[in-house]
Amino acid sequence: MLANQMQGRCVLRQQRCGTTVGLVAPLRSSARPSMLTPRNPRGLLKRAPASTASGAAAADDGSNSKPEAPVPAPAAQPVVVAEVAQAAAAPAAPQYSPDFIRRRLFVFFGIVIGYSSYYLTRNSLTYTAPVMVADPSLHMDITQIGAMTSIFPIAYGMSKFVSGVLGARFSPTVLLAGGLMATAAVNIAFGFGTSLAWFCFFWALNGTLQGVGGPCCARILTTWFASNERGTYWGMWNIAHNLGGFAAPLVAGGFAKAMGWKWGMWAPGVIGIAVGLLVLMACRDKPEDVGHPPVEPVSEAAAGGHGSSASKPKADIWGSLVKHVLKNPYIWGMALTYFFIYVVRQGVTSWFVFYLIKEKGIEDAAQAAVRVSGLELGGLVGSLVAGRLSDGLIAGAKGKGGNVGKRVTVVMWYTVGIAAALLSFQALPASVPAALQWANVFMIGFFLYGPQMLIGLCGAELVGPDSVGASEGFLGWIAYLGAANAGIPLSIIVKEYGWNAYFATLVGACALALLLLSPMTRLRSYVQREAARKERLAKAE
C-alpha cells in the first residue's frame, strides 16, 4: 500500500511539472482518453522516459508485491482531474519535438513571405503610376491615377470582412496561396490594358482579392503557436507589412523605370505566382494535418466539441459570425479601438509630409519624406517589442489573470506613447536637426505599430478557432473605416482650423482608444475560458 501511494504521488508530481502527460490516463476511472495525451511518436509533447512508464505500470498491477486492498478510485480521481484542469489553464511552456519545430518554421516562413508578397502586388501601382503618366500613348494624368487608387481601399476594407467570414469554411493555406496568385494574375492582366475603364476594373478586383491574406495568416498563427508564445511570433509575422512595403519600390519601381510601366506590373505578378506555389508547399492549416497534436488541448476540443465532428453539425456561417463576433461586446470594443488607432496611423502617413512643408519650412517633399522615413522602421521594431512584452507579462502571471488583458495592458502603454510622441513632434522647432525629427518619427512608428499588431491578436484570441477569420475580417473592416476618416475629414480640419486642431484630433483619438481599452485589462482568452469551464465540470462530477 505504501509503495502504491508513493508511486501515485510521484505520477502527480510529474504531472504538475509537465514532464508526463500520457501517465494521467491509467489513474482515471473513465475510459475516455485524455485530451493531453500525444497522438503519435512525433507529437509536440515529449513522452516520459520508459523507466518511469514501466514503474507506474508495475505499481498499478501490483505483480511484484503481496496482495493489498486497492486504493479507492473516488478519492484519487478528483485530485487527478483538478491537476489536468490546472495544467490546461496555466500557460506552461510546451515541450516541442525537433520535428515539430522544423515543420513549424517552414509554416511561419511561408506565411511571412506570402503576406509580404501581398504587399508587393498591392503597392505595385503606386510605384508604376509615375511612369504611366509619363507614357504619351496612355494619355493619363494624376487625376485618373487618383480615381484608380480611390477605388482600392473601399474594395479592400469590405474584402477583409467578407473573406474573414466566408473563409472559415475553407483551408486558410489554400486561400492564402490562391488569393496571392489571383492578385498576381490581376497585376499581369492590368499590364495588358490601355484604357481607364480596364485599369479601374482590375484595380478594384485587386482590392477585392487582397483582403484574403490577413485573416488566413491569423488562422494559421493561432493553430501553430500557443498562447504564451503567440505574441512574439505574431509580432515577427507583422514585419511582413514592412518587408513588402520595402520590396515594392525596388521591384515595381525598378522594373517600371528600366523596362516600361507594363513590367512594373508584370514583375510583381510573376513573383506573386511563384511565392503562391511556395506557400502551398510550405504551409499547412494546423499541426494535426501533418501528424502532430494541437499546440493547445482546448484547440482540439474546440475542433471536435463534445462529440465527434461527424455527429455534430457545423454552425452556419452567419450564426457563427453573430454569436462569436457581433454579439461579443469586447470584439466591438477592440474594433472601435482599431478605428481610432487607424485614424492616427493614416493621419500620420498621409499628412506629416505636408505638415513639415507648411509648418516647419522644409523646402520640398523629398526632404520631408526623408525625415518621416523612420516611421516604418520604428513600426518594425515596435511590433517585435510589443509582442515580446505581452508574452512576458503572460509568462510572469503564471496562469493568473487574463491573457488578452495582459496584451491590452501593453496596447494602453503604447497608446500613451503615441500621444506623447505626437506632442513632441509638434513641439519641435523648425530649426532642430533633421536627425532629431527622424528619431521622433521613429518613436511615433514604434508606438503606433505595436497596438496595430496586438489588437488584431487580441481579437483572434478572444474567439474560438473557427471564428478567428471572421473576427480578423470584422476588425480589419472597421479599421479601414478609420483609415478612410483620416482622409477628407482631417483635410477639412486642417483647412478650417489649422494644424493645432489636427494634432488635437490625433491625440483625442488616442484618448478615446484608452477609454475603450480600460474595461478590458482582465480579459481572458478563449483557451482560458474553455479550460475554466472544463475545470468547473470536473469539480461538479
Side-chain angles (χ1 to χ4, degrees), residues 78-376:
V79 178
V80 177
V81 172
E83 291 287 343
V84 175
Q86 184 179 3
Q95 300 292 321
Y96 294 139
S97 67
D99 181 65
F100 174 80
I101 293 174
R102 286 192 297 270
R103 194 69 185 84
R104 191 169 73 164
L105 285 176
F106 277 117
V107 173
F108 185 72
F109 173 79
I111 62 175
V112 170
I113 297 301
Y115 199 58
S116 297
S117 298
Y118 270 88
Y119 270 75
L120 186 62
T121 59
R122 181 183 309 173
N123 295 335
S124 52
L125 179 61
T126 301
Y127 302 101
T128 302
V131 185
M132 293 177 67
V133 172
D135 188 340
S137 65
L138 292 178
H139 307 289
M140 298 191 71
D141 58 22
I142 295 177
T143 303
Q144 292 172 315
I145 297 295
M148 286 185 276
T149 56
S150 296
I151 295 172
F152 185 92
I154 298 173
Y156 179 58
M158 285 302 300
S159 170
K160 290 197 76 170
F161 179 50
V162 174
S163 63
V165 175
L166 298 180
R169 285 288 180 264
F170 304 98
S171 163
T173 297
V174 173
L175 282 178
L176 179 65
L180 175 58
M181 289 188 282
T183 66
V186 167
N187 271 250
I188 293 173
F190 187 99
F192 286 102
T194 55
S195 67
L196 180 62
W198 177 281
F199 295 144
C200 287
F201 170 78
F202 278 101
W203 207 240
L205 181 59
N206 189 27
T208 303
L209 294 168
Q210 285 284 339
V212 174
C216 290
C217 291
R219 289 172 61 194
I220 295 172
L221 278 164
T222 52
T223 55
W224 280 93
F225 297 92
S227 300
N228 62 347
E229 59 183 351
R230 194 175 294 146
T232 299
Y233 285 95
W234 196 291
M236 293 192 324
W237 165 76
N238 200 63
I239 70 172
H241 300 74
N242 309 98
L243 293 176
F246 176 77
L250 299 179
V251 175
F255 273 92
K257 182 178 180 180
M259 303 178 68
W261 73 267
K262 293 180 181 289
W263 275 101
M265 305 301 296
W266 289 343
V270 171
I271 294 173
I273 290 175
V275 174
L277 294 173
L278 175 65
V279 170
L280 278 178
M281 293 186 292
C283 295
R284 293 296 180 271
D285 297 348
K286 52 187 181 295
E288 298 95 306
D289 292 342
V290 286
H292 296 290
V295 293
E296 290 177 320
V298 175
S299 297
E300 185 177 351
H306 298 290
S308 65
S309 57
S311 62
K312 182 181 179 181
K314 289 185 176 180
D316 63 284
I317 295 174
W318 176 251
S320 178
L321 170 67
V322 171
K323 180 180 178 182
H324 300 294
V325 178
L326 298 183
K327 284 189 175 181
N328 190 329
Y330 297 113
I331 291 293
W332 278 96
M334 293 291 177
L336 292 175
T337 303
Y338 230 0
F339 178 94
F340 291 116
I341 292 297
Y342 263 74
V343 166
V344 178
R345 177 188 172 186
Q346 194 65 33
V348 167
T349 55
S350 298
W351 300 105
F352 261 27
V353 170
F354 290 95
Y355 171 73
L356 287 174
I357 294 173
K358 299 292 184 180
E359 292 293 307
K360 300 299 183 181
I362 305 303
E363 294 181 0
D364 55 43
Q367 293 184 23
V370 170
R371 298 192 181 211
V372 301
S373 63
L375 189 74
E376 290 291 331

